[in-house]
Amino acid sequence: MTGLDPGSPVAVVGTGTMGQGIAQVALTAGHSVLLFDAAPGRAREAAEAIGARLDRLVAKDRLSGADRDAARARLHAAERLADLADCGLVVEAVLERLDVKQELFRALEDVVGEDCLLATNTSSLSVTAIGGALRNPGRFVGLHFFNPAPLLPLVEVVSGFATDVTSATRAYETARAWGKTPVACADTPGFIVNRIARPFYAEAFAVYESQAAEPVTIDAILRECGGFRMGAFELTDLIGQDVNESVTHSVWRAFFQDVRFTPSLAQRRLVESGRLGRKTGQGWYDHGEDAERPEPHTADPVPAPAYVVVEGDLGPAADLLTLIREAGISVREDEEDHGTRLVLPSGGQLALADGQTSVEFRDVVYFDLALDYRRATRIALSASQDTSPQTLAEATGLFQALGKDVSVIGDAPGMIVARTVARIIDLAHDAVAKGVATQEDIDTAMRLGVNYPLGPFEWSRRLGRNWAYALLDDLHLRDPSGRYAPSLALYRHAYASDKREGTSS
């Protein structure tokens, strides 16, 4: 099945930032576009704003003058809802209130033809619930664009419970014809991106609330060690703390207050104080004109250890051994396999974050997961109050010898990057098991929708089938609230691997 006929008019109802962006996408794809807004004069103002953006594209040589003129000729402001009668697709981008959207689509159903595809751009409401107000919910679908719609490639095509397969396919192919990258998704709270991305924010906030590290240090670790484009605190300041918290609350409520999606009390206090991020000049960070960005915790230089002893297989951190040797530090191998760790000259141990705490052991320093240990510019270390200062100094000097800045945080089980990635992997496996989307579409959505360096399943394959389950299981033992309890889907994934290898669970 093909998408919408290029000659078929498209209507966008709601002319805010998102509505204008969607209209521009349809317009530059060759459709005639009608803009409608309940507020008098808004549609004409939006048409002028879109025209101005087309002018800027011409100035940047991204659009020819002729194409701009043709697009402007296809753009119209509708005075009445009845003016949308001949449209083949109507996309709604109005206020995020169920009653408002339902009332709009009931009215549209009386106006448009039977073959008109109706779509909502909702990011937080149930597509099924909105479509439930229609006489024919089979032609109703979610088309969730990401802001700014003309620039970001991802579109989540969401099928409600009553959406016909033909309607979903038609919407999918239309998005693709518009130059977007569509992913198919069942109607679930948060769809793909807003569901699976929750741990990225939640775990950063949790580490902060436990006083293990400050926001600027956590952000630096997520960027420089984890490979994320932005840290959780700076990203929510950009999004708006009220907006980000609203999405978190929406997903949490929709999942019947599932503890895995529990909102952050620290973020609640930030919103209550009116510190919403860049738009108010203050959020986690001060965004005033003369404000100076704080620096992340970075350990002072200390000497590197003369050697390390490797015991067992370092798993996802195995590349460190090559880097250590390249730095001129001797790597000795223990003939007896005692585990997966490095032993320092002082006798203290250095281990990859695994969900356990430093305080449980005599003298252990944990280091965080890195996307790429060679390219990472910062490494986080975690130690308890009982950790030997000499052990911590040797661990710090080791990573500094590899050319890394070192941030020392408190005794946070799973640290920062490791537990964040493990929870993202878990939610992704759970989503596939429940029919939300395919592995391929989830990986695509997370890379394109929120710029993750890897999709959850790409991470899972790189880290090993049992890695995320083992880390979360250890975390769950230390925090039995259910927040870190591995899903049944992740358990099955890990157990299947063990079974094939001839071991028991």
Side-chain angles (χ1 to χ4, degrees):
M1 175 179 288
T2 59
L4 190 68
D5 188 303
S8 184
V10 172
V12 177
V13 180
T15 58
T17 301
M18 183 58 78
Q20 290 181 31
I22 296 170
Q24 183 178 330
V25 171
L27 192 65
T28 54
H31 291 274
S32 294
V33 175
L34 283 79
L35 295 170
F36 177 80
D37 199 295
R42 285 278 180 84
R44 292 191 180 279
E45 292 174 3
E48 292 173 1
I50 293 171
R53 281 200 290 273
L54 295 177
D55 289 341
R56 289 195 290 273
L57 291 176
V58 172
K60 295 177 181 179
D61 291 327
R62 296 179 183 174
L63 187 71
S64 70
D67 286 342
R68 183 236 1 240
D69 294 342
R72 279 189 163 185
R74 296 193 304 271
L75 181 62
H76 308 281
E79 299 292 337
R80 304 169 302 150
L81 207 61
D83 295 339
L84 313 185
D86 295 330
C87 289
L89 168 65
V90 179
V91 184
E92 163 273 315
V94 302
L95 187 66
E96 284 286 272
R97 275 181 43 187
L98 180 62
D99 59 336
V100 172
K101 294 179 187 290
Q102 287 179 328
E103 182 179 356
L104 169 64
F105 282 108
R106 276 194 293 261
L108 281 168
E109 201 169 28
D110 291 333
V111 169
V112 300
E114 290 295 325
D115 60 345
C116 177
L117 189 64
L118 300 177
T120 175
N121 184 59
T122 185
S123 62
S124 60
L125 299 176
S126 165
V127 171
T128 300
I130 300 171
L134 300 178
R135 294 189 301 272
N136 177 18
R139 62 165 163 175
F140 185 73
V141 67
L143 277 177
H144 181 216
F145 290 78
F146 288 75
N147 195 29
L151 297 179
L152 295 186
L154 184 70
V155 177
E156 292 177 319
V157 181
V158 186
S159 294
F161 186 77
T163 302
D164 291 337
V165 173
T166 53
S167 298
T169 303
R170 191 177 175 204
Y172 184 98
E173 294 300 334
T174 297
R176 184 153 62 179
W178 289 0
K180 296 301 180 181
T181 303
V183 291
C185 175
D187 185 21
T188 184
F191 309 141
I192 298 174
V193 173
N194 281 330
R195 171 177 176 155
I196 295 173
R198 295 345 293 163
F200 178 74
Y201 313 107
E203 294 311 309
F205 297 162
V207 171
Y208 166 70
E209 289 171 347
S210 70
Q211 301 186 58
E214 292 297 309
V216 66
T217 299
I218 297 170
D219 279 351
I221 292 165
L222 285 168
R223 289 194 316 270
E224 300 171 38
C225 183
F228 291 94
R229 185 74 60 86
M230 298 179 74
F233 296 91
E234 57 191 347
L235 180 55
T236 53
D237 264 4
L238 176 63
I239 295 169
Q241 299 301 330
D242 53 339
V243 174
N244 181 261
E245 190 202 31
S246 176
V247 173
T248 299
H249 270 269
S250 175
V251 173
W252 176 61
R253 287 192 301 267
F255 276 111
F256 307 106
Q257 301 185 0
D258 186 330
V259 69
R260 295 176 301 166
F261 302 101
T262 300
S264 162
L265 181 59
Q267 188 180 41
R268 176 89 292 262
R269 293 291 179 260
L270 206 65
V271 172
E272 288 174 338
S273 70
R275 298 184 174 192
L276 306 182
R278 291 190 183 184
K279 61 187 175 183
T280 62
Q282 179 73 49
W284 295 111
Y285 298 102
D286 184 350
H287 299 280
E289 289 185 9
D290 299 325
E292 293 185 8
R293 182 69 174 263
E295 294 295 325
H297 173 271
T298 302
D300 292 332
V302 293
Y307 68 90
V308 295
V309 179
V310 59
E311 294 183 347
D313 178 8
L314 294 184
D319 288 348
L320 278 177
L321 298 180
T322 300
L323 299 180
I324 293 170
R325 290 188 177 98
E326 289 175 356
I329 298 171
S330 175
V331 177
R332 305 175 184 176
E333 295 188 10
D334 191 333
E335 294 182 359
E336 296 183 17
D337 188 351
H338 298 290
T340 55
R341 59 199 173 191
L342 295 173
V343 180
L344 300 163
S346 63
Q349 300 172 11
L350 183 60
L352 176 62
D354 59 6
Q356 301 182 85
T357 62
S358 296
V359 76
E360 298 173 55
F361 304 97
R362 183 180 64 82
D363 202 9
V364 170
V365 172
Y366 281 105
F367 64 93
D368 210 345
L369 177 71
L371 174 67
D372 182 330
Y373 283 100
R374 182 175 292 277
R375 297 177 63 184
T377 57
R378 183 177 299 273
I379 294 293
L381 301 180
S382 174
S384 76
Q385 59 187 10
D386 297 329
T387 302
S388 161
Q390 181 63 26
T391 296
L392 182 57
E394 290 176 345
T396 300
L398 175 66
F399 281 104
Q400 288 174 339
L402 306 186
K404 318 298 183 187
D405 288 329
V406 174
S407 293
V408 179
I409 70 171
D411 189 13
M415 300 193 65
I416 297 170
V417 179
R419 75 199 236 182
T420 298
V421 170
R423 287 206 60 213
I424 289 170
I425 289 172
D426 182 47
L427 290 186
H429 277 281
D430 185 54
V432 170
K434 292 177 178 172
V436 174
T438 65
Q439 291 189 12
E440 293 76 17
D441 275 357
I442 288 175
D443 276 354
T444 297
M446 302 313 290
R447 280 189 280 99
L448 298 184
V450 278
N451 287 313
Y452 283 4
L454 294 174
F457 294 98
E458 292 173 314
W459 250 316
S460 185
R461 288 188 291 271
R462 175 184 288 197
L463 297 170
R465 294 179 65 93
N466 193 54
W467 180 84
Y469 176 80
L471 187 144
L472 291 176
D473 195 39
D474 276 340
L475 270 170
H476 179 53
L477 289 174
R478 288 150 185 82
D479 178 3
S481 64
R483 178 187 181 100
Y484 300 104
S487 66
L488 180 59
L490 190 64
Y491 173 81
R492 284 173 171 155
H493 176 74
Y495 178 76
S497 174
D498 288 343
K499 187 174 181 180
R500 278 198 297 272
E501 294 170 4
T503 62
S504 60
S505 173

